[in-house]
Amino acid sequence: MTTKLKSLQDWVDSVAKLTQPEDIHWCNGSEAENKRLINQMNRSGDLLPLNQDHYPNCYLHRSSPSDVARVEHLTYICTEDEEQAGPNNLWMSPADAHAKMDAFFDGCMQGRTMYVIPYCMGPLASPYARCGVEVTDSPYVVANMRIMTRMGTAALERIESEGSFVKGLHSIGELDPDRRFIMHFPEDLLIQSFGSGYGGNALLGKKCHALRIASWQARQEGWLAEHMLIVGLESPEGETHYVACAFPSACGKTNLAMLIPPESQAGWKVWTLGDDIAWLHLDANGQLRAINPESGYFGVVPGTNAKTNKNAYDMITSETIFTNVATTEDNLPWWEDKKVGSPAFDWQGNKYDPDTGPAAHPNSRFTVAATNNPCYSELSEAPEGVPISALVFGGRRKELAPLVYEAKNWRHGVLVGAGVASETTAAATGQVGVVRRDPMAMQPFCGYNFADYWAHWLSFADKSDNLPGIFHVNWFRQDQNGKFLWPGFGENLRVLRWIIDRCEKRVGAKETPIGFLPESHGIDTQDLDLDPAVMDALLAVDNKQWLDEMESVGEYLGSFGNRLPEELQFEHDQVMQELRKIS
Ligand code: OXD
Ligand code: MN
């Protein structure tokens, strides 16, 4: 197979000339093609079949031990003007980046097959969807892209009719951390990734395209590409509200997207649209609508059990690619907190020894089609997406941030988003558990200067008088002994219900300098067995702590210099003033 689109054929030819593969395979996305690839990877050892009686069509991939997470220190935005990338990104000039990458790619596919993967991010029939083509020498990437995107012939047809696409060139190289870079050239809609096979570095449709490049495209075209789950909440009366929530990596987006209402919330139903990325557009009526550009989940495995997320637990018992989990004696996948079975082999395939650390890697992952999810929303394929009632930011904070609060208006909400901070997790290489600023949960993913990104967010206030409410939640507040105050998981529905009630103007709220908080009894705690003092602690706003926090947010915003939008500075000054009045 080839293509009738000359610009695509020329690009593929030029990549082949540089990388010198033995074969070129254009992926059509068919079942037969997938089977052939899986069989081939079973033979090469790239994919190991798991126990097929209990986990039909499930496979295990073991990464190279130094290739288990995103590498933010090797991820660059390469724009002509350094200011475009901003202090939030590592920058390299396109000329330097090309020189470096061309040397890496030179002859790197010798003896290997080069796969050409046409893919579509978003429903194939959606005007909001955008296409790309990834060229890779990794069959594992092909199998994952088939789950995570609409990949193959239909995507190629759309690309041929549109004539434009995002180009992604990937090679695992030698999987050498010293010869690894993830480069983005937003001005050319181009991604180049070398030396890693890990999801976020190698499945280029995901973070590289659907967030870094798409955020750039979105600014130019007037929409938003965000690190957000999308979930529908259907009330017992049959009314469904959709919310989109941005949390940093590995802070429970997949769990919230697949939430199971506890018994006390009888009659509520939850429908998942997406667990990681949302593309948001204003429609002709000024209603914000969301599509999920992805068609599968690449979720963190440890912690998933029949209690924490039964939907996910069930969803990954068939047709799933596991990466870096442990295995039991009878070849079942195993991970920390699975609660059943015990590990015989660790994630590297060695006999499990508890002294050498966890059996499954803390960032071990599952890749599975969204349609496997028991609460898959039929609207996932709706070309026009779903209407969004609320946008919710959140982070992992032991203290400070209350369980929930609502921004005073859209502009203040942009400040709330810009002020998001969270304790780091295993999803990226580096220290775990340190608080870092992660505006809109986009710190690792915004493809341009945050100052311009906030200006873009702020500009929506002038485009519609019908924008969703903006909220902030924190499921992770702890007491002095390190115990979580809020039960989390399914019970988070109680907080989402308050959010919906606020959007529908059905409940009052308490005004504080940081925003609107639930009144006492605002959040339904029936059957929760929660001491009222704990609820008070969860909703406490400590002015002194908040003054310190806002000072630190102010310093952070100041680091963007005079590119920082005045309106954002104004919102910040307002909150500072209010806090000072009360302190
Ligand atoms: C992810 C991440 O893989 O955010 O979704 O790191
Ligand atoms: Mn993510």
Side-chain angles (χ1 to χ4, degrees), residues 397-566:
R397 300 295 298 259
K398 286 192 190 63
E399 45 183 29
L400 186 83
L403 179 61
V404 60
Y405 63 99
E406 180 187 1
K408 295 171 193 168
N409 52 49
W410 180 269
R411 289 190 176 90
H412 175 232
V414 177
L415 174 70
V416 170
V420 168
S422 191
E423 293 151 27
T424 51
T425 68
T429 302
Q431 216 187 333
V432 169
V434 293
V435 174
R436 74 160 180 182
R437 296 262 150 238
D438 194 350
M440 279 80 172
M442 283 287 277
Q443 166 53 43
F445 308 122
C446 182
Y448 62 103
N449 194 322
F450 260 149
D452 301 340
Y453 169 80
W454 295 320
H456 181 48
W457 262 82
L458 288 162
S459 74
F460 280 68
D462 304 322
K463 289 188 199 154
S464 167
D465 46 20
N466 187 21
L467 291 167
I470 298 184
F471 296 78
H472 186 284
V473 297
N474 177 21
W475 316 133
F476 300 97
R477 198 141 160 181
Q478 298 177 7
D479 66 13
Q480 291 95 323
N481 305 319
K483 188 172 167 282
F484 288 112
L485 291 173
W486 178 248
F489 300 103
E491 306 298 351
N492 292 338
L493 177 58
R494 298 169 188 265
V495 176
L496 296 174
R497 281 180 50 204
W498 182 79
I499 289 176
I500 292 171
D501 283 344
R502 285 295 296 164
C503 294
E504 291 294 334
K505 304 196 174 27
R506 291 194 286 236
V507 283
K510 206 166 67 185
E511 187 162 1
T512 77
I514 64 164
F516 297 110
L517 268 89
E519 289 169 331
S520 49
H521 310 299
I523 293 185
D524 166 21
T525 53
Q526 214 188 339
D527 300 326
L528 206 50
D529 199 16
L530 201 71
D531 192 324
V534 171
M535 202 60 200
D536 289 347
L538 278 163
L539 294 176
V541 177
D542 180 324
N543 266 35
K544 166 82 188 58
Q545 268 187 357
W546 269 99
L547 259 177
D548 291 348
E549 172 74 0
M550 289 314 288
E551 237 155 58
S552 135
V553 170
E555 268 168 40
Y556 172 69
L557 296 179
S559 70
F560 289 83
N562 45 22
R563 229 169 155 113
L564 185 75
E566 265 171 40

Side-chain angles (χ1 to χ4, degrees), residues 206-207 211 227 247-250 253 275-277 365 445:
K206 193 173 180 61
K207 305 299 189 180
L211 287 174
H227 192 203
F247 306 143
S249 307
K253 285 209 301 298
D275 78 329
D276 196 39
I277 302 179
R365 297 279 177 152
F445 308 122

Side-chain angles (χ1 to χ4, degrees), residues 171-291:
S171 170
I172 53 172
E174 310 83 32
L175 296 174
D176 175 357
D178 293 329
R179 286 170 44 83
R180 178 177 295 162
F181 278 106
I182 324 295
M183 302 284 194
H184 303 75
F185 305 86
E187 286 146 328
D188 299 321
L189 302 185
L190 171 68
I191 304 154
Q192 295 193 340
S193 165
F194 189 89
S196 168
Y198 173 75
N201 304 326
L203 311 179
L204 300 186
K206 193 173 180 61
K207 305 299 189 180
C208 300
H209 177 164
L211 287 174
R212 297 197 191 94
I213 298 289
S215 60
W216 175 284
Q217 281 183 302
R219 176 176 51 151
Q220 287 177 333
E221 299 172 9
W223 49 283
L224 294 166
E226 298 300 322
H227 192 203
M228 290 179 175
L229 66 92
I230 312 164
V231 67
L233 306 162
E234 185 180 331
S235 71
E237 293 75 39
E239 182 193 39
T240 305
H241 286 86
Y242 296 90
V243 298
C245 312
F247 306 143
S249 307
C251 284
K253 285 209 301 298
T254 306
N255 286 345
L256 187 64
M258 301 178 68
L259 178 152
I260 299 180
E263 265 169 39
S264 63
Q265 308 291 304
W268 281 85
K269 290 190 194 123
V270 171
W271 303 108
T272 318
L273 271 294
D275 78 329
D276 196 39
I277 302 179
W279 284 358
L280 304 166
H281 287 77
L282 283 177
D283 70 13
N285 302 320
Q287 168 69 55
L288 198 68
R289 308 191 72 89
I291 61 162

Side-chain angles (χ1 to χ4, degrees), residues 359-374:
H361 190 276
N363 191 36
S364 51
R365 297 279 177 152
F366 55 74
T367 320
V368 68
T371 47
N372 254 36
N373 178 355

Side-chain angles (χ1 to χ4, degrees), residues 28-29 118-132 146 149-162 279 291-295 376 379-385:
N28 60 24
Y119 63 87
C120 179
M121 302 309 290
L124 276 156
S126 174
Y128 303 144
R130 294 286 181 277
C131 292
R146 181 167 184 272
T149 72
R150 286 90 172 162
M151 174 266 252
T153 307
L156 181 60
E157 280 166 11
R158 177 163 168 160
I159 291 168
E160 287 173 339
S161 75
E162 285 181 339
W279 284 358
I291 61 162
N292 172 14
E294 301 188 286
S295 57
Y376 170 78
L379 291 181
S380 302
E381 287 297 330
E384 70 285 6

